[in-house]
Amino acid sequence: MGFTSPIGLFALLAIPAVIFLHLFRQRFRERRVAGLFLFAPDALPARAGNKRTRLLKTPSFWLEIAAALLLALWLGGFTVGAGHRVPHLVVIWDDSASMGADGVPERARAALEEALDELPGHARGTLIVSGTRPEVRIGPRAPAAFLRDAFDALAPRQPQHDLRPSLLLGRELAGDEGRLLLLTDRPFEDAPPRATVRAVGAAQGNAAVLSARRDGTKVYFDLMAFADGSMRTRFTIHARDRELRNEEITLPPGRLVRLSFGDPGPQVPVRFALGDDALAIDNAVTLLPSPTRVVPVATAMPDETRTLLALDEVLDVLPAVRVVGDRAQAALVIADAPLETAPGQSRVVIRPSADETDAWVGPFLLEHRHPLLRGVTLEGIVWTAGNTSPPGAPLALAGELALICEQAAPGGALRLAVNLDAKRSNVAASPDWPILWSNVVEHVRRRLPGPAATNVRLGELMSYRGRLPDASLVGPDGATRPARGTAVYTWVARKPGVHRLIDADGRERARWSAHFVDAAESDLREAATATRAPIEEPTGGTEQEGDFERTLLALLLLAVLTADWWVLS
């Protein structure tokens, strides 16, 4: 004995409702009259009211209680016997982008409809959407009819991924009795024996944009035709609302074709689009301007020391760096002594760690895995340093003496201690000196407010550094996602197009353009239509189990309602 849909037992709330209606009837005031024959018969029965009366246990009352009970048992899927099981279909939907090719969604829907039509009305269904982390979109064990409505909301756009984790999850949810159905567009042999594999694809030629980038002077687009012969298509380039190019091009099969054009402006969005073909998701890309985050730098040291270290010359050649006189406005402060800095402000202190100094000649031991020392060798220099190590984690060592140390700081700010006597060293003459400062500046730049990158691929992270309480991300379709975090906000790019970050006042703070790039998914030549029947059948019950009880309950409910109507009439 059990219930296939326990949520239907909420219909038992109708029983107290029936009792409530029978308790509250209008109480009549006693009046003396000459004769009852003067009143119409339909005015005599009591009417519902707001005064509680004695419960009248009439035949109609008991019939209405029985009807409410039968209705609850019918909605709850009441069954008798432990051997009764409800059919369960687990559908695994391949969410890779190639499932959106011409004709594939229609054939996939037909395959799903065919599988659902074979099930009885009380069957259960589960929909799993594949991915690197499979998602249960419907269920587990929801009414199978729900799968029809959920199918329309599927929009495949993921890069190529392994289907086996999704099949493993489906097998666990199906148990020993459920059936498995994999909907994909290519033949797939590595499926469980009990799975039905419906490949609904078709081999088609397709052209795709494989990469897009801009370097400030030019924009580059890499194209490829995945076909057995050459493909002729048209491409267009728009800068804002102005069309720059509209030309036809012939793409040879399987060969990369690179197009380059003059950049219409460093702050102008550029949209490139190919003509319609078998797969639309890989035909267009929008390149937004790269974020220009200028690093304000302040120096707090004597002019002589600054000259010995060639700081003015180094900072002058580094891109997107501005020297400021007010330390409060600087993101990076270079000093010859520790000083107080604002929260989030980075600091580099250059001075010998002790009065007694020693001169060192390489080779030096460097932590090359750290981004601050990327490309730095310190070869052929004389480094004079204090004979005690400064506090912090050493990044460069001369024997056991630390020359450069990184110190912990709140908020991810950079704290660097450089154990260096500028008067007795020739470090500033080394080509490694501007490389070190370039790494320091880029380290600070990455922590400035704003987006880390404005052009991303689907599946990559869109990140924003800064404090924006109550901000939200607006997708290309207008859907919003809240910004969760404190100082860094991240979202996964799930839909192609332009995403906008809106603060609490409705102002736009950042933009990202997400585009699809995956050569394996753009190549539709291996797609096919095929069916692999299950090798093993489920060990559970048949599709007719549970129908008898529901039919009997429905007949009893109809009989009780008819009897109640007859009694009241």
Side-chain angles (χ1 to χ4, degrees), residues 12 23 39 69 87 139 154 212 222 246 315 320 424 525:
L12 290 173
L23 279 175
F39 295 88
L69 177 61
L154 296 176
D222 292 341
N246 188 336
L315 297 177
R424 301 175 57 192
R525 290 174 293 182

Side-chain angles (χ1 to χ4, degrees), residues 238-289:
H238 287 80
R240 289 198 177 99
D241 298 329
R242 184 165 56 96
E243 185 177 84
L244 303 181
R245 292 289 186 94
N246 188 336
E247 302 176 9
E248 285 193 352
I249 185 174
T250 300
L251 301 177
R255 289 178 53 189
L256 191 69
V257 175
R258 173 164 294 176
L259 303 180
S260 62
F261 308 94
D263 196 324
Q267 300 302 316
V268 178
V270 177
R271 176 174 172 80
F272 180 91
L274 291 175
D276 294 337
D277 55 18
L279 189 63
I281 194 172
D282 57 8
N283 286 345
V285 58
T286 298
L287 290 176
L288 295 179

Side-chain angles (χ1 to χ4, degrees), residues 281-362:
I281 194 172
D282 57 8
N283 286 345
V285 58
T286 298
L287 290 176
L288 295 179
S290 298
T292 302
R293 291 183 289 178
V294 178
V295 180
V297 180
T299 57
M301 57 177 52
D303 293 342
E304 180 185 1
T305 306
R306 195 168 65 248
T307 301
L308 290 172
L309 296 175
L311 285 180
D312 294 339
E313 291 82 353
V314 170
L315 297 177
D316 186 58
V317 299
L318 294 179
V321 171
R322 184 178 78 253
V323 178
V324 297
D326 187 1
R327 291 207 309 264
Q329 299 179 356
L332 171 63
V333 178
I334 306 173
D336 61 350
L339 44 80
E340 292 294 329
T341 54
Q345 198 174 46
S346 297
R347 183 185 69 197
V348 177
V349 177
I350 305 175
R351 67 167 187 172
S353 60
D355 294 336
E356 296 184 6
T357 60
D358 294 319
W360 298 85
V361 179

Side-chain angles (χ1 to χ4, degrees), residues 355-387:
D355 294 336
E356 296 184 6
T357 60
D358 294 319
W360 298 85
V361 179
F364 300 98
L365 180 62
L366 306 179
E367 178 55 87
H368 287 290
R369 294 174 299 179
H370 199 284
L372 291 178
L373 297 185
R374 187 177 295 118
V376 176
T377 62
L378 298 183
E379 294 181 355
I381 65 170
V382 177
W383 188 300
T384 303
N387 56 15

